[in-house]
Amino acid sequence: MYKKILIASRGEIALRIIRACRELDIRAVAVHSEADADSLHVKLADEDVCIGGSQPSDSYLNIPRIISAAEITGADAIHPAYGFLSENPHFAEVCMSCNIGWIGPAPEIMQEMGDKAVARRLMSQAGLPVVPGSEGVVANEESALKLAEETGYPIMIKAVAGGGGRGIRIIRNGDELKELFFAAGREAQTAFGDGGLYIEKFLKNPRHIEVQIFGDGNGRIVHLGERECSIQRRHQKLLEESPSPGISAATRERIFEYALAGARHIKYGSLGTMEFLVTPEDEIYFLEMNTRVQVEHPVTEMVTGFDLIKEQIRLASTGVSPLLDAEFAQRGHAIECRINAEDPDRNFKPTPGTITFYHPPGGPGVRVDSHLYDGYTVPPYYDSLLAKVITWGADREEARRRMIRSLEECVIEGIPTTIPFQLWILRNASFTRGDFDTSFIDRIQQ
């Protein structure tokens, strides 16, 4: 087993990994920017190293400094968490070349699945249905216009290297395509270092369903159920739950079969997530694969009883995990709400600032993953996620009511947060019935 792990991230997920290390008797090294010197993950780690200035490019995205921190602290592995360098195959390759363990899938798998066009081709070879669209990168505006006419409007332009809902444009006609094609390419180049774009048919009112998978890299793959991720704003997930309240048992089993087939085809190793779109007619389409731990992984942990982070570490360190021999069994229902430092009354404007008072919720069936504390200053340089509140219930209604109670108990003073907006969603009649899709937020805000 690894003796010391460096966590190449920040915030609540870094703290989550530190806690897993503690339970595995592994020492944890935190890296941090100058802005994060007082962050809770730094305070609770066994060792910490400042790796640069406040901007991500000077710290959390600076590979040489992270590798240097691992070497000077004697860390024998790096956990990339999510965000930043977590899906960067070059980072994984550098770790391995420096004889530092990589807690994640093989770099070549990350490369293939990180390129959305290549991922579509591989999954199609594995027998998964993919959304109609381009076979690879669209070379130019003329090619895009021709393909769009063949596919039929509306379409989506996506950055091949995109993620987290960024780099996406919905195009409804040729004039919009002419106007946005080059702009989208420039934006993709700036955000991801790759200006490549591909085209997909825009599906109307689908559900966004993802499957948690776990593999050993040699073809052994298990799934741990699905998560419903349709509650989104600007392609960013706001609330997730398991199981999905809106798909049939037969559709669920088909999604599981596709997820396992796709993961086996590439011999996936580590935690990963297969994401799908499901139309109102129960048509299933592969969307993408995330080769890292997901923000919403606690939802799966709550309904399975497994500690996914511990098993990810155990597998990377020893090559084995009891999770590979476990049989999936759904236990009750879980819901996660992401609490962000944003003001819903001001078009969700980011609200960095100092937390003057913090009181997390508690009680039966409630979990809070957060790096907040009284007096903590939320920096303006990073993702606005403050906390994840996760509730479990014997059924969906108990989990929903428990979430409402928990958010009413949660007190975060000093800055506006999205708690009022989450409560509004939870009390919405359509949400309560489980009658929603990816257009839910747009429809209820009109």
Side-chain angles (χ1 to χ4, degrees):
M1 184 70 78
Y2 293 135
K3 299 299 182 183
K4 185 183 292 188
I5 291 174
L6 182 143
I7 302 154
S9 193
R10 63 177 300 280
E12 63 84 18
I13 188 60
L15 190 59
R16 166 74 181 90
I17 297 167
I18 288 171
R19 288 168 171 158
C21 288
R22 285 271 196 278
E23 295 181 21
L24 291 170
D25 196 26
I26 297 172
R27 291 180 63 82
V29 179
V31 294
H32 66 90
S33 67
E34 293 172 356
D36 272 339
D38 294 324
S39 187
L40 195 56
H41 81 281
V42 177
K43 295 176 180 291
L44 295 186
D46 296 291
E47 300 174 58
D48 64 271
V49 179
C50 180
I51 54 173
S54 301
Q55 294 295 335
S57 58
D58 296 328
S59 50
Y60 299 109
L61 294 175
N62 192 309
I63 293 176
R65 292 182 181 180
I66 294 173
I67 296 297
S68 295
E71 291 177 338
I72 64 174
T73 57
D76 47 10
I78 286 179
H79 196 304
Y82 58 69
F84 297 122
L85 296 167
S86 62
E87 293 183 280
N88 186 317
H90 175 63
F91 182 40
E93 290 171 345
V94 172
C95 290
M96 294 176 178
S97 69
C98 295
N99 295 316
I100 298 171
W102 172 253
I103 303 175
E108 57 268 24
I109 300 299
M110 296 172 65
Q111 180 73 45
E112 291 174 342
M113 302 313 290
D115 185 317
K116 303 300 188 295
V118 173
R120 281 168 52 88
R121 185 179 70 250
L122 288 171
M123 293 301 101
S124 182
Q125 292 171 358
L128 278 64
V130 298
V131 181
S134 58
E135 294 299 320
V137 174
V138 180
N140 50 49
E141 181 183 310
E142 290 72 23
S143 299
L145 285 165
K146 181 179 179 181
L147 182 60
E149 290 293 338
E150 295 172 354
T151 303
Y153 292 100
I155 62 166
M156 298 182 78
I157 294 179
K158 293 186 174 183
V160 295
R166 295 177 297 171
I168 296 175
R169 294 287 188 278
I170 299 174
I171 308 295
R172 291 176 172 81
N173 54 57
D175 290 339
E176 287 188 5
L177 182 54
K178 292 176 183 178
E179 179 183 347
L180 295 174
F181 185 80
F182 287 110
R186 286 194 299 269
E187 179 183 314
Q189 182 65 45
T190 300
F192 310 113
D194 185 340
L197 303 172
Y198 71 104
I199 285 176
E200 283 185 350
K201 174 69 176 175
F202 175 68
L203 302 179
K204 186 177 181 181
N205 301 338
R207 284 184 177 266
H208 186 151
I209 307 293
E210 63 185 28
V211 180
Q212 180 72 68
I213 58 98
F214 187 70
D216 67 355
N218 296 311
R220 293 185 68 196
I221 301 287
V222 296
H223 79 79
L224 298 164
E226 92 281 7
R227 295 185 290 252
E228 168 71 72
C229 302
S230 298
I231 304 297
Q232 303 176 7
R233 178 179 173 275
R234 296 176 182 172
H235 306 290
Q236 292 278 0
K237 300 167 188 173
L238 301 177
L239 181 152
E240 303 93 358
E241 59 182 303
S242 182
S244 168
I247 59 174
S248 67
T251 299
R252 178 176 287 109
E253 288 304 315
R254 286 168 58 208
I255 294 172
F256 291 161
E257 290 171 5
Y258 285 142
L260 292 173
R264 287 194 187 105
H265 182 68
I266 60 174
K267 293 186 178 180
Y268 189 78
S270 192
L271 280 179
T273 304
M274 301 288 286
E275 305 204 6
F276 299 88
L277 296 178
V278 182
T279 71
E281 296 75 33
D282 282 343
E283 297 171 316
I284 302 168
Y285 294 100
F286 169 77
L287 177 63
E288 64 180 356
M289 183 182 192
N290 284 292
T291 57
R292 53 171 169 78
V293 62
Q294 294 277 88
V295 176
E296 59 270 23
H297 77 275
V299 173
T300 298
E301 293 183 328
M302 293 287 268
V303 295
T304 63
F306 297 124
D307 187 318
L308 300 183
I309 302 298
K310 284 168 61 175
E311 294 312 313
Q312 184 189 30
I313 293 171
R314 199 190 312 273
L315 179 69
S317 180
T318 67
V320 297
S321 165
L323 193 53
L324 291 167
D325 297 313
E327 291 189 7
F328 167 69
Q330 182 89 28
R331 307 184 310 168
H333 198 101
I335 299 175
E336 174 183 283
C337 284
R338 303 189 189 192
I339 310 304
N340 293 314
E342 298 173 355
D343 188 348
D345 294 330
R346 300 173 64 193
N347 196 28
F348 294 87
K349 180 180 179 180
T351 55
T354 300
I355 305 298
T356 57
F357 182 76
Y358 172 57
H359 175 74
V366 178
R367 167 177 167 177
V368 180
D369 285 14
S370 177
H371 58 293
L372 295 188
Y373 60 86
D374 288 356
Y376 172 68
T377 297
V378 180
Y381 311 103
Y382 316 115
D383 185 89
S384 62
L385 184 65
L386 299 177
K388 301 182 307 197
V389 179
I390 311 98
T391 57
W392 180 91
D395 55 30
R396 185 173 187 265
E397 182 60 12
E398 183 176 43
R400 187 187 72 88
R401 290 181 176 273
R402 188 164 277 166
M403 180 63 77
I404 291 173
R405 186 264 294 170
S406 297
L407 295 187
E408 289 176 335
E409 285 182 15
C410 187
V411 181
I412 301 175
E413 294 182 352
I415 60 172
T417 74
T418 54
I419 288 177
F421 188 68
Q422 294 281 17
L423 283 167
W424 180 49
I425 293 172
L426 290 159
R427 291 177 173 133
N428 179 273
S430 293
F431 178 82
T432 300
R433 293 193 304 267
D435 179 19
F436 56 85
D437 51 54
T438 54
S439 67
F440 174 78
I441 297 299
D442 290 337
R443 286 190 286 108
I444 64 176
Q445 285 188 308
Q446 288 178 353

